[in-house]
Amino acid sequence: EVQLVESGGGLVQPGGSLRLSCAASGFTFSSYSMNWVRQAPGKGLEWLSYISSSSSTIYYADSVKGRITISRDNAKNSLYLQMNSLRADDTAVYYCARDPYDSTGYRYFQYWGQGTLVTVSS
Amino acid sequence: DIVMTQSPDSLTVSLGERATINCKSSQSILYTSNNKNYLGWYQQKPGQPPKLLIYWASTRESGVPDRFSGSGSGTDFTLTISSLQAEDVAVYYCQQYYSTPYTFGQGTNLEIK
């Protein structure tokens, strides 16, 4: 069974940093591309970042580019999101999501974690 | 960026009736070389992550009941629930994966009448 478990969320002050993790199990993590998607309280879904299986290709949404870094450790079956210069409008549930294949065009999100809540407030 | 616009924002349907949700993209998301529409539909119930229902605009994900169907091409798409069940109460999102940034519609809140 595919499982994605996010961690690392919490309360952080404006301007602070946080590193989110996503632990993957139930599939060969190194064979799949991954994404981060967030959802502000009561709002819709916003895709943030993509990373290919080998980390050779990375994309970011303009809204967070320069403030976030996606990475992965295939040996540890883990995906990460480093977030810096956090603002109040970064408050959201952050989901990791797996693509169905690591192949161009297959960028719909087949599996999702339960999410981790990041709250940016003083 | 490709803007995805869903209609309506909210929908109230009686049990057993048909529910129809529309999604319009600001540009075509049909890739002509493979004749595929890069459009997915997701269902999100309260307190849960989204769940993939449909991809390639009309292909049902494994395990999704056949009362859910997707249609459309180019810029106009539809998610249809043929006979609404109580467990279908949720927010539904469309998503384009034709180009980055991968964008979602604003969501449609489906309730029971």
Side-chain angles (χ1 to χ4, degrees), chain A residues 35 37 39 43-47 50 59 61-62 95 105-110 112-114, chain B residues 1 36 38 42 44 47-52 55-56 61 93 95 97 100-102 104-106:
Chain A
N35 302 266
V37 178
Q39 186 170 35
K43 302 297 185 183
L45 301 166
E46 180 186 16
W47 170 83
Y50 159 92
Y59 301 122
D62 284 346
Y95 296 103
Y106 287 83
R107 302 282 185 263
Y108 53 90
F109 310 128
Q110 189 178 35
W112 298 67
Q114 288 296 313
Chain B
D1 297 3
K36 287 182 180 292
Y38 285 50
Y42 300 84
Q44 187 177 31
Q48 296 185 19
K51 173 188 174 183
L52 176 68
Y55 55 95
W56 301 129
E61 172 68 341
Y93 296 93
Q95 176 232 341
Y97 47 99
T100 59
Y102 306 123
F104 294 86
Q106 79 277 17

mmCIF file of all heavy atoms in Angstrom, chain A residues 35 37 39 43-47 50 59 61-62 95 105-110 112-114, chain B residues 1 36 38 42 44 47-52 55-56 61 93 95 97 100-102 104-106:
data_model
loop_
_atom_site.group_PDB
_atom_site.id
_atom_site.type_symbol
_atom_site.label_atom_id
_atom_site.label_comp_id
_atom_site.label_asym_id
_atom_site.label_seq_id
_atom_site.Cartn_x
_atom_site.Cartn_y
_atom_site.Cartn_z
ATOM 1 N N ASN A 35 5.739 15.781 -5.750
ATOM 2 C CA ASN A 35 5.312 17.177 -5.717
ATOM 3 C C ASN A 35 4.952 17.610 -4.296
ATOM 4 O O ASN A 35 4.655 16.780 -3.446
ATOM 5 C CB ASN A 35 4.052 17.369 -6.561
ATOM 6 C CG ASN A 35 4.232 16.960 -8.010
ATOM 7 O OD1 ASN A 35 4.538 17.783 -8.868
ATOM 8 N ND2 ASN A 35 4.027 15.674 -8.297
ATOM 9 N N VAL A 37 2.076 20.275 -2.651
ATOM 10 C CA VAL A 37 0.863 21.045 -2.911
ATOM 11 C C VAL A 37 0.385 21.579 -1.561
ATOM 12 O O VAL A 37 0.472 20.866 -0.554
ATOM 13 C CB VAL A 37 -0.237 20.158 -3.542
ATOM 14 C CG1 VAL A 37 -1.520 20.971 -3.772
ATOM 15 C CG2 VAL A 37 0.242 19.555 -4.857
ATOM 16 N N GLN A 39 -2.615 23.957 0.809
ATOM 17 C CA GLN A 39 -4.007 24.399 0.885
ATOM 18 C C GLN A 39 -4.174 25.292 2.108
ATOM 19 O O GLN A 39 -4.088 24.818 3.244
ATOM 20 C CB GLN A 39 -4.949 23.199 0.973
ATOM 21 C CG GLN A 39 -6.414 23.541 0.924
ATOM 22 C CD GLN A 39 -7.287 22.300 0.774
ATOM 23 O OE1 GLN A 39 -6.991 21.240 1.307
ATOM 24 N NE2 GLN A 39 -8.369 22.435 0.016
ATOM 25 N N LYS A 43 -9.411 27.271 1.815
ATOM 26 C CA LYS A 43 -9.152 27.686 0.428
ATOM 27 C C LYS A 43 -8.889 26.491 -0.463
ATOM 28 O O LYS A 43 -9.005 25.336 -0.054
ATOM 29 C CB LYS A 43 -7.938 28.636 0.401
ATOM 30 C CG LYS A 43 -8.102 29.871 1.260
ATOM 31 C CD LYS A 43 -9.251 30.745 0.788
ATOM 32 C CE LYS A 43 -9.333 32.034 1.590
ATOM 33 N NZ LYS A 43 -10.490 32.871 1.188
ATOM 34 N N GLY A 44 -8.538 26.767 -1.703
ATOM 35 C CA GLY A 44 -8.302 25.731 -2.687
ATOM 36 C C GLY A 44 -6.869 25.218 -2.671
ATOM 37 O O GLY A 44 -6.076 25.527 -1.785
ATOM 38 N N LEU A 45 -6.553 24.425 -3.678
ATOM 39 C CA LEU A 45 -5.270 23.754 -3.782
ATOM 40 C C LEU A 45 -4.303 24.572 -4.630
ATOM 41 O O LEU A 45 -4.680 25.135 -5.656
ATOM 42 C CB LEU A 45 -5.464 22.372 -4.405
ATOM 43 C CG LEU A 45 -6.404 21.444 -3.630
ATOM 44 C CD1 LEU A 45 -6.799 20.256 -4.494
ATOM 45 C CD2 LEU A 45 -5.736 20.975 -2.352
ATOM 46 N N GLU A 46 -3.056 24.589 -4.197
ATOM 47 C CA GLU A 46 -2.013 25.312 -4.918
ATOM 48 C C GLU A 46 -0.788 24.417 -5.056
ATOM 49 O O GLU A 46 -0.175 24.043 -4.063
ATOM 50 C CB GLU A 46 -1.630 26.602 -4.186
ATOM 51 C CG GLU A 46 -0.543 27.400 -4.892
ATOM 52 C CD GLU A 46 -0.054 28.601 -4.111
ATOM 53 O OE1 GLU A 46 -0.310 28.677 -2.891
ATOM 54 O OE2 GLU A 46 0.600 29.470 -4.715
ATOM 55 N N TRP A 47 -0.430 24.084 -6.293
ATOM 56 C CA TRP A 47 0.790 23.324 -6.540
ATOM 57 C C TRP A 47 1.996 24.226 -6.291
ATOM 58 O O TRP A 47 2.012 25.393 -6.691
ATOM 59 C CB TRP A 47 0.798 22.827 -7.979
ATOM 60 C CG TRP A 47 2.106 22.238 -8.394
ATOM 61 C CD1 TRP A 47 2.556 20.973 -8.172
ATOM 62 C CD2 TRP A 47 3.155 22.918 -9.101
ATOM 63 N NE1 TRP A 47 3.822 20.826 -8.696
ATOM 64 C CE2 TRP A 47 4.201 21.992 -9.267
ATOM 65 C CE3 TRP A 47 3.299 24.203 -9.610
ATOM 66 C CZ2 TRP A 47 5.388 22.319 -9.934
ATOM 67 C CZ3 TRP A 47 4.469 24.535 -10.269
ATOM 68 C CH2 TRP A 47 5.504 23.600 -10.412
ATOM 69 N N TYR A 50 7.778 20.527 -8.021
ATOM 70 C CA TYR A 50 7.929 19.186 -8.595
ATOM 71 C C TYR A 50 9.398 18.801 -8.588
ATOM 72 O O TYR A 50 10.272 19.645 -8.812
ATOM 73 C CB TYR A 50 7.417 19.200 -10.031
ATOM 74 C CG TYR A 50 7.940 18.074 -10.900
ATOM 75 C CD1 TYR A 50 7.240 16.881 -11.009
ATOM 76 C CD2 TYR A 50 9.135 18.204 -11.609
ATOM 77 C CE1 TYR A 50 7.722 15.848 -11.802
ATOM 78 C CE2 TYR A 50 9.629 17.176 -12.404
ATOM 79 C CZ TYR A 50 8.913 16.007 -12.492
ATOM 80 O OH TYR A 50 9.392 14.988 -13.278
ATOM 81 N N TYR A 59 10.849 21.993 -10.649
ATOM 82 C CA TYR A 59 10.033 23.148 -11.001
ATOM 83 C C TYR A 59 9.469 23.763 -9.727
ATOM 84 O O TYR A 59 9.197 23.060 -8.742
ATOM 85 C CB TYR A 59 8.849 22.754 -11.893
ATOM 86 C CG TYR A 59 9.189 22.099 -13.200
ATOM 87 C CD1 TYR A 59 8.693 20.837 -13.520
ATOM 88 C CD2 TYR A 59 9.989 22.736 -14.143
ATOM 89 C CE1 TYR A 59 8.986 20.227 -14.723
ATOM 90 C CE2 TYR A 59 10.289 22.126 -15.353
ATOM 91 C CZ TYR A 59 9.786 20.867 -15.632
ATOM 92 O OH TYR A 59 10.076 20.265 -16.833
ATOM 93 N N ALA A 61 6.535 26.930 -8.378
ATOM 94 C CA ALA A 61 5.563 27.966 -8.672
ATOM 95 C C ALA A 61 6.197 29.327 -8.420
ATOM 96 O O ALA A 61 7.004 29.482 -7.497
ATOM 97 C CB ALA A 61 4.333 27.798 -7.774
ATOM 98 N N ASP A 62 5.843 30.294 -9.231
ATOM 99 C CA ASP A 62 6.415 31.632 -9.084
ATOM 100 C C ASP A 62 6.129 32.233 -7.711
ATOM 101 O O ASP A 62 6.935 33.011 -7.188
ATOM 102 C CB ASP A 62 5.872 32.566 -10.170
ATOM 103 C CG ASP A 62 6.504 32.309 -11.524
ATOM 104 O OD1 ASP A 62 7.531 31.601 -11.574
ATOM 105 O OD2 ASP A 62 5.957 32.811 -12.537
ATOM 106 N N TYR A 95 0.849 19.252 1.496
ATOM 107 C CA TYR A 95 0.735 17.850 1.097
ATOM 108 C C TYR A 95 1.903 17.470 0.188
ATOM 109 O O TYR A 95 2.284 18.245 -0.700
ATOM 110 C CB TYR A 95 -0.532 17.618 0.294
ATOM 111 C CG TYR A 95 -1.841 17.846 1.018
ATOM 112 C CD1 TYR A 95 -2.576 19.007 0.803
ATOM 113 C CD2 TYR A 95 -2.370 16.884 1.868
ATOM 114 C CE1 TYR A 95 -3.795 19.208 1.429
ATOM 115 C CE2 TYR A 95 -3.589 17.073 2.498
ATOM 116 C CZ TYR A 95 -4.290 18.243 2.272
ATOM 117 O OH TYR A 95 -5.503 18.428 2.894
ATOM 118 N N GLY A 105 4.534 14.545 -18.915
ATOM 119 C CA GLY A 105 3.098 14.556 -19.150
ATOM 120 C C GLY A 105 2.281 13.906 -18.060
ATOM 121 O O GLY A 105 1.099 14.186 -17.925
ATOM 122 N N TYR A 106 2.897 13.035 -17.275
ATOM 123 C CA TYR A 106 2.139 12.325 -16.229
ATOM 124 C C TYR A 106 2.249 13.105 -14.916
ATOM 125 O O TYR A 106 2.860 12.643 -13.951
ATOM 126 C CB TYR A 106 2.657 10.903 -16.076
ATOM 127 C CG TYR A 106 2.265 10.025 -17.223
ATOM 128 C CD1 TYR A 106 3.009 10.035 -18.398
ATOM 129 C CD2 TYR A 106 1.147 9.202 -17.147
ATOM 130 C CE1 TYR A 106 2.643 9.236 -19.465
ATOM 131 C CE2 TYR A 106 0.785 8.393 -18.215
ATOM 132 C CZ TYR A 106 1.535 8.425 -19.368
ATOM 133 O OH TYR A 106 1.177 7.642 -20.424
ATOM 134 N N ARG A 107 1.630 14.262 -14.897
ATOM 135 C CA ARG A 107 1.776 15.169 -13.763
ATOM 136 C C ARG A 107 0.475 15.348 -13.015
ATOM 137 O O ARG A 107 0.223 16.422 -12.468
ATOM 138 C CB ARG A 107 2.304 16.518 -14.230
ATOM 139 C CG ARG A 107 3.611 16.461 -14.945
ATOM 140 C CD ARG A 107 4.796 16.292 -14.003
ATOM 141 N NE ARG A 107 6.041 16.355 -14.776
ATOM 142 C CZ ARG A 107 6.708 15.301 -15.201
ATOM 143 N NH1 ARG A 107 6.279 14.094 -14.921
ATOM 144 N NH2 ARG A 107 7.799 15.448 -15.911
ATOM 145 N N TYR A 108 -0.364 14.328 -13.029
ATOM 146 C CA TYR A 108 -1.497 14.374 -12.127
ATOM 147 C C TYR A 108 -1.097 13.635 -10.868
ATOM 148 O O TYR A 108 -0.124 12.883 -10.849
ATOM 149 C CB TYR A 108 -2.754 13.782 -12.783
ATOM 150 C CG TYR A 108 -2.602 12.399 -13.360
ATOM 151 C CD1 TYR A 108 -2.857 11.271 -12.598
ATOM 152 C CD2 TYR A 108 -2.225 12.232 -14.690
ATOM 153 C CE1 TYR A 108 -2.731 10.010 -13.141
ATOM 154 C CE2 TYR A 108 -2.089 10.975 -15.238
ATOM 155 C CZ TYR A 108 -2.351 9.862 -14.464
ATOM 156 O OH TYR A 108 -2.225 8.615 -15.002
ATOM 157 N N PHE A 109 -1.825 13.890 -9.772
ATOM 158 C CA PHE A 109 -1.362 13.472 -8.460
ATOM 159 C C PHE A 109 -2.158 12.259 -7.987
ATOM 160 O O PHE A 109 -3.291 12.368 -7.549
ATOM 161 C CB PHE A 109 -1.476 14.643 -7.479
ATOM 162 C CG PHE A 109 -0.838 15.901 -8.027
ATOM 163 C CD1 PHE A 109 -1.525 17.093 -8.054
ATOM 164 C CD2 PHE A 109 0.450 15.876 -8.542
ATOM 165 C CE1 PHE A 109 -0.944 18.241 -8.576
ATOM 166 C CE2 PHE A 109 1.035 17.017 -9.073
ATOM 167 C CZ PHE A 109 0.328 18.201 -9.084
ATOM 168 N N GLN A 110 -1.523 11.112 -8.123
ATOM 169 C CA GLN A 110 -2.213 9.849 -7.917
ATOM 170 C C GLN A 110 -2.362 9.503 -6.436
ATOM 171 O O GLN A 110 -3.361 8.902 -6.036
ATOM 172 C CB GLN A 110 -1.479 8.733 -8.651
ATOM 173 C CG GLN A 110 -2.224 7.418 -8.685
ATOM 174 C CD GLN A 110 -1.485 6.367 -9.463
ATOM 175 O OE1 GLN A 110 -0.260 6.313 -9.456
ATOM 176 N NE2 GLN A 110 -2.231 5.497 -10.133
ATOM 177 N N TRP A 112 -1.675 10.990 -2.309
ATOM 178 C CA TRP A 112 -1.460 12.160 -1.458
ATOM 179 C C TRP A 112 -1.206 11.708 -0.023
ATOM 180 O O TRP A 112 -1.773 10.717 0.443
ATOM 181 C CB TRP A 112 -2.699 13.050 -1.450
ATOM 182 C CG TRP A 112 -3.089 13.630 -2.758
ATOM 183 C CD1 TRP A 112 -3.549 12.963 -3.866
ATOM 184 C CD2 TRP A 112 -3.096 15.019 -3.106
ATOM 185 N NE1 TRP A 112 -3.843 13.854 -4.878
ATOM 186 C CE2 TRP A 112 -3.579 15.111 -4.431
ATOM 187 C CE3 TRP A 112 -2.756 16.191 -2.422
ATOM 188 C CZ2 TRP A 112 -3.708 16.346 -5.092
ATOM 189 C CZ3 TRP A 112 -2.897 17.407 -3.068
ATOM 190 C CH2 TRP A 112 -3.367 17.480 -4.388
ATOM 191 N N GLY A 113 -0.387 12.465 0.668
ATOM 192 C CA GLY A 113 -0.278 12.273 2.101
ATOM 193 C C GLY A 113 -1.429 12.960 2.814
ATOM 194 O O GLY A 113 -2.284 13.596 2.184
ATOM 195 N N GLN A 114 -1.439 12.846 4.130
ATOM 196 C CA GLN A 114 -2.497 13.461 4.939
ATOM 197 C C GLN A 114 -2.237 14.948 5.188
ATOM 198 O O GLN A 114 -3.139 15.674 5.591
ATOM 199 C CB GLN A 114 -2.628 12.738 6.283
ATOM 200 C CG GLN A 114 -3.237 11.353 6.176
ATOM 201 C CD GLN A 114 -4.671 11.389 5.683
ATOM 202 O OE1 GLN A 114 -5.490 12.174 6.152
ATOM 203 N NE2 GLN A 114 -5.001 10.523 4.725
ATOM 204 N N ASP B 1 0.390 31.641 -17.116
ATOM 205 C CA ASP B 1 -0.195 30.528 -16.384
ATOM 206 C C ASP B 1 -1.575 30.188 -16.950
ATOM 207 O O ASP B 1 -2.308 31.075 -17.387
ATOM 208 C CB ASP B 1 -0.350 30.878 -14.898
ATOM 209 C CG ASP B 1 0.964 31.146 -14.206
ATOM 210 O OD1 ASP B 1 2.022 31.120 -14.899
ATOM 211 O OD2 ASP B 1 0.940 31.395 -12.984
ATOM 212 N N LYS B 36 -4.350 13.858 -26.204
ATOM 213 C CA LYS B 36 -4.747 13.719 -24.800
ATOM 214 C C LYS B 36 -4.991 15.092 -24.180
ATOM 215 O O LYS B 36 -4.217 16.036 -24.421
ATOM 216 C CB LYS B 36 -3.664 12.999 -23.994
ATOM 217 C CG LYS B 36 -3.559 11.500 -24.267
ATOM 218 C CD LYS B 36 -2.502 10.891 -23.376
ATOM 219 C CE LYS B 36 -2.340 9.395 -23.586
ATOM 220 N NZ LYS B 36 -3.529 8.636 -23.142
ATOM 221 N N TYR B 38 -4.869 17.164 -20.841
ATOM 222 C CA TYR B 38 -4.101 17.056 -19.610
ATOM 223 C C TYR B 38 -4.907 17.634 -18.449
ATOM 224 O O TYR B 38 -4.581 18.672 -17.870
ATOM 225 C CB TYR B 38 -2.753 17.769 -19.783
ATOM 226 C CG TYR B 38 -1.787 16.978 -20.621
ATOM 227 C CD1 TYR B 38 -2.151 16.449 -21.863
ATOM 228 C CD2 TYR B 38 -0.501 16.726 -20.178
ATOM 229 C CE1 TYR B 38 -1.265 15.708 -22.622
ATOM 230 C CE2 TYR B 38 0.399 15.992 -20.932
ATOM 231 C CZ TYR B 38 0.003 15.488 -22.153
ATOM 232 O OH TYR B 38 0.895 14.761 -22.905
ATOM 233 N N TYR B 42 -10.393 15.807 -8.933
ATOM 234 C CA TYR B 42 -10.139 15.318 -7.587
ATOM 235 C C TYR B 42 -11.364 15.567 -6.718
ATOM 236 O O TYR B 42 -12.094 16.543 -6.904
ATOM 237 C CB TYR B 42 -8.939 16.048 -6.960
ATOM 238 C CG TYR B 42 -7.661 15.872 -7.734
ATOM 239 C CD1 TYR B 42 -7.367 16.685 -8.820
ATOM 240 C CD2 TYR B 42 -6.743 14.890 -7.387
ATOM 241 C CE1 TYR B 42 -6.209 16.519 -9.547
ATOM 242 C CE2 TYR B 42 -5.570 14.719 -8.104
ATOM 243 C CZ TYR B 42 -5.313 15.531 -9.185
ATOM 244 O OH TYR B 42 -4.163 15.366 -9.907
ATOM 245 N N GLN B 44 -12.350 16.019 -2.625
ATOM 246 C CA GLN B 44 -11.807 16.239 -1.300
ATOM 247 C C GLN B 44 -12.935 16.312 -0.288
ATOM 248 O O GLN B 44 -13.767 17.221 -0.344
ATOM 249 C CB GLN B 44 -10.952 17.507 -1.232
ATOM 250 C CG GLN B 44 -10.237 17.655 0.116
ATOM 251 C CD GLN B 44 -9.330 18.855 0.201
ATOM 252 O OE1 GLN B 44 -9.576 19.882 -0.411
ATOM 253 N NE2 GLN B 44 -8.247 18.744 0.964
ATOM 254 N N GLY B 47 -11.482 17.351 6.027
ATOM 255 C CA GLY B 47 -10.439 16.774 6.853
ATOM 256 C C GLY B 47 -9.586 15.725 6.167
ATOM 257 O O GLY B 47 -8.749 15.088 6.818
ATOM 258 N N GLN B 48 -9.784 15.547 4.864
ATOM 259 C CA GLN B 48 -9.024 14.533 4.123
ATOM 260 C C GLN B 48 -8.222 15.184 3.002
ATOM 261 O O GLN B 48 -8.560 16.281 2.541
ATOM 262 C CB GLN B 48 -9.967 13.489 3.532
ATOM 263 C CG GLN B 48 -10.723 12.666 4.565
ATOM 264 C CD GLN B 48 -11.550 11.576 3.919
ATOM 265 O OE1 GLN B 48 -11.329 11.186 2.766
ATOM 266 N NE2 GLN B 48 -12.513 11.060 4.655
ATOM 267 N N PRO B 49 -7.186 14.494 2.543
ATOM 268 C CA PRO B 49 -6.485 14.995 1.351
ATOM 269 C C PRO B 49 -7.334 14.763 0.110
ATOM 270 O O PRO B 49 -8.286 13.964 0.140
ATOM 271 C CB PRO B 49 -5.222 14.138 1.312
ATOM 272 C CG PRO B 49 -5.621 12.864 1.977
ATOM 273 C CD PRO B 49 -6.599 13.258 3.057
ATOM 274 N N PRO B 50 -7.005 15.436 -0.969
ATOM 275 C CA PRO B 50 -7.719 15.170 -2.224
ATOM 276 C C PRO B 50 -7.497 13.729 -2.677
ATOM 277 O O PRO B 50 -6.478 13.105 -2.365
ATOM 278 C CB PRO B 50 -7.087 16.170 -3.207
ATOM 279 C CG PRO B 50 -6.517 17.241 -2.332
ATOM 280 C CD PRO B 50 -6.063 16.536 -1.095
ATOM 281 N N LYS B 51 -8.459 13.259 -3.441
ATOM 282 C CA LYS B 51 -8.394 11.912 -4.008
ATOM 283 C C LYS B 51 -8.575 12.030 -5.516
ATOM 284 O O LYS B 51 -9.511 12.695 -5.996
ATOM 285 C CB LYS B 51 -9.500 11.029 -3.430
ATOM 286 C CG LYS B 51 -9.633 9.673 -4.075
ATOM 287 C CD LYS B 51 -10.890 8.951 -3.576
ATOM 288 C CE LYS B 51 -11.123 7.656 -4.327
ATOM 289 N NZ LYS B 51 -12.380 6.992 -3.897
ATOM 290 N N LEU B 52 -7.684 11.396 -6.265
ATOM 291 C CA LEU B 52 -7.777 11.420 -7.719
ATOM 292 C C LEU B 52 -8.975 10.599 -8.188
ATOM 293 O O LEU B 52 -9.130 9.433 -7.816
ATOM 294 C CB LEU B 52 -6.498 10.860 -8.339
ATOM 295 C CG LEU B 52 -6.474 10.727 -9.860
ATOM 296 C CD1 LEU B 52 -6.478 12.106 -10.522
ATOM 297 C CD2 LEU B 52 -5.253 9.913 -10.310
ATOM 298 N N TYR B 55 -8.353 11.124 -14.761
ATOM 299 C CA TYR B 55 -7.189 11.739 -15.412
ATOM 300 C C TYR B 55 -7.355 11.606 -16.911
ATOM 301 O O TYR B 55 -8.245 10.884 -17.394
ATOM 302 C CB TYR B 55 -5.881 11.121 -14.921
ATOM 303 C CG TYR B 55 -5.788 9.627 -15.058
ATOM 304 C CD1 TYR B 55 -5.177 9.044 -16.162
ATOM 305 C CD2 TYR B 55 -6.312 8.789 -14.071
ATOM 306 C CE1 TYR B 55 -5.098 7.674 -16.287
ATOM 307 C CE2 TYR B 55 -6.232 7.411 -14.184
ATOM 308 C CZ TYR B 55 -5.618 6.865 -15.293
ATOM 309 O OH TYR B 55 -5.542 5.507 -15.411
ATOM 310 N N TRP B 56 -6.517 12.325 -17.656
ATOM 311 C CA TRP B 56 -6.687 12.433 -19.112
ATOM 312 C C TRP B 56 -8.133 12.825 -19.456
ATOM 313 O O TRP B 56 -8.679 12.378 -20.470
ATOM 314 C CB TRP B 56 -6.286 11.165 -19.845
ATOM 315 C CG TRP B 56 -4.880 10.719 -19.655
ATOM 316 C CD1 TRP B 56 -4.463 9.477 -19.298
ATOM 317 C CD2 TRP B 56 -3.667 11.508 -19.769
ATOM 318 N NE1 TRP B 56 -3.088 9.436 -19.194
ATOM 319 C CE2 TRP B 56 -2.583 10.672 -19.486
ATOM 320 C CE3 TRP B 56 -3.413 12.848 -20.106
ATOM 321 C CZ2 TRP B 56 -1.263 11.107 -19.514
ATOM 322 C CZ3 TRP B 56 -2.092 13.280 -20.134
ATOM 323 C CH2 TRP B 56 -1.050 12.420 -19.838
ATOM 324 N N GLU B 61 -9.857 6.649 -12.428
ATOM 325 C CA GLU B 61 -8.827 6.019 -11.629
ATOM 326 C C GLU B 61 -9.345 4.677 -11.086
ATOM 327 O O GLU B 61 -10.561 4.504 -10.842
ATOM 328 C CB GLU B 61 -8.412 6.942 -10.483
ATOM 329 C CG GLU B 61 -7.467 6.358 -9.427
ATOM 330 C CD GLU B 61 -6.058 6.057 -9.929
ATOM 331 O OE1 GLU B 61 -5.843 5.948 -11.131
ATOM 332 O OE2 GLU B 61 -5.163 5.921 -9.066
ATOM 333 N N TYR B 93 -12.299 19.395 -7.458
ATOM 334 C CA TYR B 93 -11.346 20.277 -8.132
ATOM 335 C C TYR B 93 -10.933 19.693 -9.472
ATOM 336 O O TYR B 93 -10.695 18.481 -9.577
ATOM 337 C CB TYR B 93 -10.074 20.442 -7.299
ATOM 338 C CG TYR B 93 -10.244 21.124 -5.963
ATOM 339 C CD1 TYR B 93 -10.464 20.383 -4.812
ATOM 340 C CD2 TYR B 93 -10.156 22.509 -5.849
ATOM 341 C CE1 TYR B 93 -10.608 21.010 -3.577
ATOM 342 C CE2 TYR B 93 -10.292 23.140 -4.627
ATOM 343 C CZ TYR B 93 -10.524 22.381 -3.491
ATOM 344 O OH TYR B 93 -10.661 23.006 -2.280
ATOM 345 N N GLN B 95 -7.816 20.047 -12.381
ATOM 346 C CA GLN B 95 -6.402 20.422 -12.405
ATOM 347 C C GLN B 95 -5.851 20.197 -13.805
ATOM 348 O O GLN B 95 -6.092 19.144 -14.406
ATOM 349 C CB GLN B 95 -5.586 19.578 -11.420
ATOM 350 C CG GLN B 95 -4.088 19.835 -11.438
ATOM 351 C CD GLN B 95 -3.252 18.576 -11.598
ATOM 352 O OE1 GLN B 95 -3.714 17.464 -11.358
ATOM 353 N NE2 GLN B 95 -1.999 18.738 -11.989
ATOM 354 N N TYR B 97 -2.472 19.649 -16.066
ATOM 355 C CA TYR B 97 -1.059 19.287 -15.960
ATOM 356 C C TYR B 97 -0.389 19.391 -17.321
ATOM 357 O O TYR B 97 0.589 18.690 -17.612
ATOM 358 C CB TYR B 97 -0.875 17.915 -15.313
ATOM 359 C CG TYR B 97 -1.750 16.792 -15.841
ATOM 360 C CD1 TYR B 97 -1.266 15.884 -16.769
ATOM 361 C CD2 TYR B 97 -3.047 16.616 -15.353
ATOM 362 C CE1 TYR B 97 -2.056 14.841 -17.227
ATOM 363 C CE2 TYR B 97 -3.845 15.579 -15.808
ATOM 364 C CZ TYR B 97 -3.343 14.691 -16.753
ATOM 365 O OH TYR B 97 -4.129 13.649 -17.196
ATOM 366 N N THR B 100 3.592 23.827 -16.485
ATOM 367 C CA THR B 100 3.796 24.431 -15.169
ATOM 368 C C THR B 100 3.494 25.922 -15.227
ATOM 369 O O THR B 100 3.726 26.556 -16.273
ATOM 370 C CB THR B 100 5.247 24.231 -14.685
ATOM 371 O OG1 THR B 100 6.136 24.826 -15.626
ATOM 372 C CG2 THR B 100 5.565 22.758 -14.511
ATOM 373 N N PRO B 101 2.976 26.482 -14.149
ATOM 374 C CA PRO B 101 2.586 25.820 -12.906
ATOM 375 C C PRO B 101 1.308 25.000 -13.096
ATOM 376 O O PRO B 101 0.379 25.417 -13.789
ATOM 377 C CB PRO B 101 2.342 26.995 -11.958
ATOM 378 C CG PRO B 101 1.876 28.099 -12.857
ATOM 379 C CD PRO B 101 2.676 27.939 -14.133
ATOM 380 N N TYR B 102 1.290 23.827 -12.488
ATOM 381 C CA TYR B 102 0.107 22.970 -12.572
ATOM 382 C C TYR B 102 -0.983 23.619 -11.716
ATOM 383 O O TYR B 102 -0.814 23.773 -10.511
ATOM 384 C CB TYR B 102 0.447 21.561 -12.095
ATOM 385 C CG TYR B 102 1.626 20.976 -12.828
ATOM 386 C CD1 TYR B 102 2.756 20.542 -12.136
ATOM 387 C CD2 TYR B 102 1.655 20.893 -14.209
ATOM 388 C CE1 TYR B 102 3.851 20.032 -12.803
ATOM 389 C CE2 TYR B 102 2.757 20.387 -14.894
ATOM 390 C CZ TYR B 102 3.840 19.963 -14.186
ATOM 391 O OH TYR B 102 4.933 19.471 -14.851
ATOM 392 N N PHE B 104 -5.045 24.460 -10.382
ATOM 393 C CA PHE B 104 -6.329 23.888 -10.017
ATOM 394 C C PHE B 104 -7.447 24.902 -10.221
ATOM 395 O O PHE B 104 -7.214 26.115 -10.139
ATOM 396 C CB PHE B 104 -6.337 23.484 -8.544
ATOM 397 C CG PHE B 104 -5.411 22.361 -8.185
ATOM 398 C CD1 PHE B 104 -4.080 22.609 -7.873
ATOM 399 C CD2 PHE B 104 -5.865 21.054 -8.149
ATOM 400 C CE1 PHE B 104 -3.218 21.577 -7.525
ATOM 401 C CE2 PHE B 104 -5.020 20.011 -7.802
ATOM 402 C CZ PHE B 104 -3.697 20.270 -7.489
ATOM 403 N N GLY B 105 -8.652 24.398 -10.434
ATOM 404 C CA GLY B 105 -9.804 25.254 -10.338
ATOM 405 C C GLY B 105 -10.050 25.624 -8.883
ATOM 406 O O GLY B 105 -9.428 25.060 -7.975
ATOM 407 N N GLN B 106 -10.959 26.558 -8.665
ATOM 408 C CA GLN B 106 -11.203 27.070 -7.320
ATOM 409 C C GLN B 106 -12.004 26.105 -6.448
ATOM 410 O O GLN B 106 -12.118 26.309 -5.234
ATOM 411 C CB GLN B 106 -11.910 28.437 -7.380
ATOM 412 C CG GLN B 106 -13.405 28.394 -7.643
ATOM 413 C CD GLN B 106 -13.763 28.271 -9.116
ATOM 414 O OE1 GLN B 106 -12.940 27.911 -9.948
ATOM 415 N NE2 GLN B 106 -15.026 28.584 -9.423
#
